[in-house]
């Protein structure tokens, strides 16, 4: 099995990938810019705002792939703190990718549906990119750098990702927690998403790497919901009064950068090439129910 490095192992995706690859008994290395996470031999400190790549040569011979989860992911912050986000998401990410190639490591770049304008959704891998936010432009810039490089690379584009653990503060559980506390949740009926279970995503990324795929892949659930439709489904499944799910429009929220109406991708290439099955939302609701009931007992 190839040696894997996770860059940004302290974030949501990074820590789940780290755990998943360890469970599959890969040799796994990681980096973090959080000092307290870098106190073992297989974890290195890497702050992409002030990078020092000296850790790389000693571990590089043990790594074939490095998964770049590191990013400033707050869309409005990318706009507001343009210089910072450009340094982290573009300039120093590209510098890191060049270091990987110099050490015969294939970069796996985690990208997003934000490379599209979100006017129609369900984009396939070769659809025309047209990012409408600074964050989207930064992701696309790195993608283009990889695509034009004639070097080995893999790009995995994601949509909204969630987990099913007790009070994990991701999409569905945070709605559930609010509803159970008697609060209302505001859900746009004009924004469409394909929420993807984090473990499915880890499995898909592991399969792509194990099989040796290169190129662009969309890794998201094929199920599409408006946020309102999904909010109602949560209320129904967990037997909460549906009146607590308040219908609204995405334009009711005051964002600095525009949000797309269709944050959805077409995952058929991944599904057919890997013979992959994503969990249904109903499966995930069952898992959440199980996790919440077992934490109580
Ligand atoms: N979660 C989603 O729903 C979603 C959807 C679409 C695309 N994505 C993409 O998936 C990737 C991971 O997202 P996420 O949800 O895990 O985001 P997150 O929880 O916000 O994590 C951000 C990541 O950036 C790293 N990071 C932050 N500042 C850094 C710095 N100065 N130097 C080095 N690394 C730094 C963090 O790792 P350390 O703290 O360990 O350094 C962490 O891995 C991103 O590229 C994002 O665009 C996520």
């Amino acid at each position: 099995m190839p040696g894997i490095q996770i860059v940004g192992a302290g974030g949501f995706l990074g820590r789940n990938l780290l755990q998943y690859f360890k469970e599959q008994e890969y040799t796994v290395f990681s980096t973090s810019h959080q000092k307290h996470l870098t106190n073992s031999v297989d974890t290195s400190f890497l702050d992409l705002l002030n990078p020092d790549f000296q850790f790389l040569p000693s571990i590089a011979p043990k790594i074939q792939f490095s998964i770049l989860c590191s990013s400033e992911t707050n869309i409005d912050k990318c706009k507001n703190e343009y210089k910072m986000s450009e340094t982290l998401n573009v300039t120093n990410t590209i510098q890191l990718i060049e270091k990987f190639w110099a050490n015969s490591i294939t970069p796996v770049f985690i990208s997003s549906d934000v490379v599209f304008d979100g006017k129609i959704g369900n984009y396939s891998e070769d659809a025309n990119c047209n990012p409408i936010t600074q964050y989207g432009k930064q992701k696309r810039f790195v993608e283009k750098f990889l695509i034009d490089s004639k070097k080995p690379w893999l790009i995995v584009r994601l949509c909204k990702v969630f987990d099913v653990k007790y009070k994990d503060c991701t999409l569905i559980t945070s709605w559930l927690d609010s509803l159970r506390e008697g609060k209302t949740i505001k859900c746009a009926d004009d924004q469409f998403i394909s929420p993807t279970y984090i473990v499915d995503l880890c499995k898909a990324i592991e399969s792509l790497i194990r099989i040796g795929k290169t190129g662009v892949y969309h890794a998201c659930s094929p199920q599409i919901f408006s946020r309102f439709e999904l909010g109602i489904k949560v209320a129904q499944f967990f037997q909460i009064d549906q009146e607590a799910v308040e219908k609204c429009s995405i334009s009711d929220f005051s964002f600095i950068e525009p949000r797309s109406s269709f944050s959805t991708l077409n995952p058929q290439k991944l599904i057919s090439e890997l013979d992959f099955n994503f969990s249904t939302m109903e499966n995930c609701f069952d898992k959440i129910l199980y996790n919440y009931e077992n934490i109580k007992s």
Side-chain angles (χ1 to χ4, degrees):
M1 282 195 290
I4 305 291
Q5 182 187 51
I6 315 287
V7 176
F12 173 48
L13 179 61
R15 66 175 176 271
N16 279 282
L17 282 172
L18 183 65
Q19 186 188 339
Y20 186 79
F21 275 94
K22 280 186 175 171
E23 284 166 4
Q24 306 306 307
E25 298 187 355
Y26 279 78
T27 303
V28 196
F29 294 85
S30 62
T31 77
S32 178
H33 84 303
Q34 301 178 55
K35 276 228 161 72
H36 70 280
L37 297 179
T38 60
N39 45 17
S40 69
V41 284
D42 46 11
T43 56
S44 309
F45 180 77
L46 177 63
D47 181 353
L48 281 171
L49 289 174
N50 185 19
D52 177 349
F53 300 115
Q54 274 182 15
F55 70 90
L56 196 54
S58 63
I59 55 165
K62 299 172 199 155
I63 303 168
Q64 280 79 54
F65 294 90
S66 184
I67 310 175
L68 287 105
C69 302
S70 48
S71 194
E72 175 51 67
T73 54
N74 181 314
I75 294 178
D76 288 341
K77 202 167 168 189
C78 287
K79 175 77 174 176
N80 272 348
E81 298 180 37
Y82 170 78
K83 262 189 93 172
M84 178 282 291
S85 65
E86 196 71 9
T87 305
L88 173 51
N89 290 354
V90 181
T91 315
N92 292 345
T93 294
I94 285 179
Q95 218 189 323
L96 179 60
I97 289 170
E98 282 174 329
K99 298 277 177 206
F100 288 149
W101 283 329
N103 285 279
S104 305
I105 297 168
T106 299
V108 179
F109 180 62
I110 303 299
S111 189
S112 163
D113 64 275
V114 294
V115 297
F116 299 105
D117 59 21
K119 287 186 182 150
I120 51 170
N122 203 28
Y123 299 100
S124 59
E125 283 76 357
D126 53 5
N128 191 34
C129 291
N130 181 30
I132 55 172
T133 59
Q134 201 59 50
Y135 176 54
K137 287 175 189 157
Q138 292 171 344
K139 285 284 182 199
R140 184 58 187 157
F141 194 94
V142 178
E143 285 193 358
K144 278 213 80 214
F145 169 77
L146 291 164
I147 291 164
D148 294 342
S149 70
K150 300 192 175 72
K151 303 254 174 61
W153 51 267
L154 172 65
I155 294 171
V156 186
R157 294 190 186 131
L158 321 180
C159 297
K160 188 80 192 155
V161 187
F162 70 93
D163 204 348
V164 298
K165 297 194 187 91
Y166 181 69
K167 290 187 187 280
D168 63 31
C169 297
T170 60
L171 181 73
I172 311 293
T173 52
S174 59
W175 280 354
L176 176 61
D177 294 339
S178 294
L179 291 171
R180 284 191 165 173
E181 285 164 22
K183 296 177 186 159
T184 56
I185 55 168
K186 286 179 76 176
C187 300
D189 71 342
D190 55 357
Q191 194 193 37
F192 294 83
I193 53 178
S194 5
T196 307
Y197 175 37
I198 182 75
V199 174
D200 288 349
L201 192 55
C202 293
K203 282 184 192 165
I205 293 173
E206 188 271 334
S207 299
L208 288 169
I209 290 175
R210 180 168 32 78
I211 297 166
K213 295 284 185 188
T214 55
V216 183
Y217 283 86
H218 289 175
C220 67
S221 165
Q223 277 186 304
I224 296 174
F225 306 94
S226 78
R227 282 180 175 265
F228 178 68
E229 193 185 349
L230 186 57
I232 292 291
K233 277 187 184 295
V234 171
Q236 279 172 341
F237 185 89
F238 293 96
Q239 297 179 342
I240 298 164
D241 183 1
Q242 292 174 36
E243 294 291 310
V245 181
E246 200 180 305
K247 190 192 285 190
C248 69
S249 164
I250 193 69
S251 61
D252 294 338
F253 298 92
S254 51
F255 297 118
I256 291 158
E257 288 274 74
R259 298 304 196 263
S260 49
S261 300
F262 295 91
S263 295
T264 61
L265 298 170
N266 185 329
Q268 287 312 319
K269 178 182 170 190
L270 184 143
I271 289 173
S272 61
E273 289 187 20
L274 301 186
D275 196 16
F276 194 86
N277 286 314
F278 284 93
S279 309
T280 64
M281 188 51 78
E282 291 69 25
N283 292 155
C284 294
F285 287 166
D286 286 336
K287 289 188 172 77
I288 293 173
L289 185 63
Y290 178 87
N291 289 337
Y292 273 64
E293 289 194 335
N294 281 282
I295 211 87
K296 271 195 231 147
S297 55

